[in-house]
Amino acid sequence: MKTFYGILMIFLIWFLLSLIISSNFVLPMPHEVLISLFQQLRTPRVYKALWDTLWKTIVVLVIGTAFGIVLGFLMGLSEFVYDLFRPMIMVIQAMPVVSWLAFVVFLWGIGWKGPIFISTLSILPNIVFSTASGIKNTDGKLIEMVHLYKVSPKKIFRHVYLASIVPFIIAAIEISIGNVWKVVLVSEFLVGGNGLGVELAWARQYVDVPRIYAITLLAVVFGITTERLFKIFSRRMLTRWEMY
């Protein structure tokens, strides 16, 4: 019920700001945006665009998480590897998205590769450093004990290292999901061939402001939904590892 009142408050503030600004080209009334949203939802085009953005987001999360865990794991185990890759990861972290946009335009032009590449790089540093921190924070006495009792490397990886990094990785992914949605949409808007970002670009081209807000609202709802679904999944995973 509190969530309902929170959403109601957002629409109330939106309504009051629309009255104050009094310009449909800046901030249309909530009911105009909702009408545009329902019109969009009655066409198959928006579902295709939503799917195009969704699968890119999933691919980005899978590639970024897999590569980030492997590299972060190695960086956590070895100070040499950490010092070797840390400058490169920091450069990727600090690089502005617009610079990557210029790079992918010259490399691939317009299409799906650019949004996936840029979005993967946007979450990679977070996953890498979180995984490395998880490995570095593994209990040293526990590692000494498992080596003393000659526990198999598979069990050490499964019950010591993996158990240590899972909370760090889940926290990093939870933070990254919202950013991935935003970066994918921005990338699609500027260099994408399809997706919600491209729909935003077309709406801007035709100065269809209610449609811009309607697609944005759709992206926000699915971004929050994705985050909530991952939290449910992560809680089950942490329960499995007896950490929640």
Side-chain angles (χ1 to χ4, degrees):
M1 202 61 185
K2 290 179 182 176
T3 303
F4 172 77
Y5 285 123
I7 295 172
L8 195 63
M9 186 177 69
I10 292 173
F11 277 94
L12 181 61
I13 293 172
W14 180 357
F15 177 76
L16 293 174
L17 286 175
S18 299
L19 285 178
I20 293 169
I21 295 173
S22 189
S23 171
N24 284 345
F25 288 105
V26 179
L27 186 63
M29 299 292 279
H31 70 274
E32 294 176 328
V33 174
L34 290 176
I35 290 172
S36 177
L37 177 61
F38 289 131
Q39 289 174 344
Q40 299 296 317
L41 293 175
R42 293 170 63 183
T43 63
R45 176 173 174 163
V46 72
Y47 294 102
K48 185 180 182 308
L50 180 61
W51 167 246
D52 288 330
T53 300
L54 182 63
W55 76 258
K56 286 173 196 162
T57 303
I58 294 171
V59 169
V60 166
L61 287 172
V62 171
I63 295 175
T65 303
F67 191 70
I69 288 174
V70 172
L71 184 56
F73 190 86
L74 295 174
M75 289 173 67
L77 286 178
S78 168
E79 286 296 329
F80 172 77
V81 178
Y82 188 88
D83 293 335
L84 184 67
F85 282 95
R86 184 170 175 269
M88 184 177 67
I89 300 299
M90 291 186 71
V91 168
I92 292 173
Q93 192 174 31
M95 185 81 81
V97 173
V98 289
S99 300
W100 289 118
L101 286 169
F103 174 73
V104 299
V105 163
F106 290 122
L107 186 63
W108 293 309
I110 302 298
W112 57 271
K113 295 179 183 175
I116 289 178
F117 179 76
I118 294 169
S119 305
T120 302
L121 290 180
S122 74
I123 69 165
L124 188 64
N126 198 17
I127 304 291
V128 169
F129 286 131
S130 296
T131 305
S133 297
I135 295 296
K136 286 177 177 292
N137 281 286
T138 304
D139 191 344
K141 293 181 179 177
L142 180 62
I143 295 174
E144 288 180 9
M145 187 178 69
V146 294
H147 283 299
L148 183 65
Y149 285 96
K150 297 181 180 178
V151 179
S152 68
K154 184 180 178 182
K155 288 185 177 178
I156 294 175
F157 175 77
R158 167 75 171 73
H159 296 288
V160 178
Y161 287 120
L162 199 55
S164 298
I165 63 175
V166 163
F168 288 88
I169 294 171
I170 287 177
I173 295 175
E174 284 183 357
I175 295 170
S176 300
I177 286 177
N179 290 330
V180 168
W181 269 97
K182 286 186 280 190
V183 177
V184 168
L185 255 70
V186 169
S187 306
E188 286 178 343
F189 184 85
L190 295 170
V191 298
N194 45 41
L196 290 178
V198 176
E199 293 301 309
L200 280 172
W202 279 111
R204 188 202 62 169
Q205 187 76 16
Y206 291 105
V207 200
D208 191 345
V209 181
R211 187 180 169 198
I212 292 173
Y213 279 90
I215 296 170
T216 302
L217 189 61
L218 190 64
V220 169
V221 169
F222 273 87
I224 293 173
T225 303
T226 308
E227 192 176 346
R228 297 300 301 174
L229 288 174
F230 181 78
K231 280 186 177 179
I232 294 171
F233 170 76
S234 63
R235 285 183 180 183
R236 290 182 178 176
M237 181 177 287
L238 289 177
T239 303
R240 182 181 176 186
W241 287 86
E242 299 179 349
M243 292 178 184
Y244 190 77

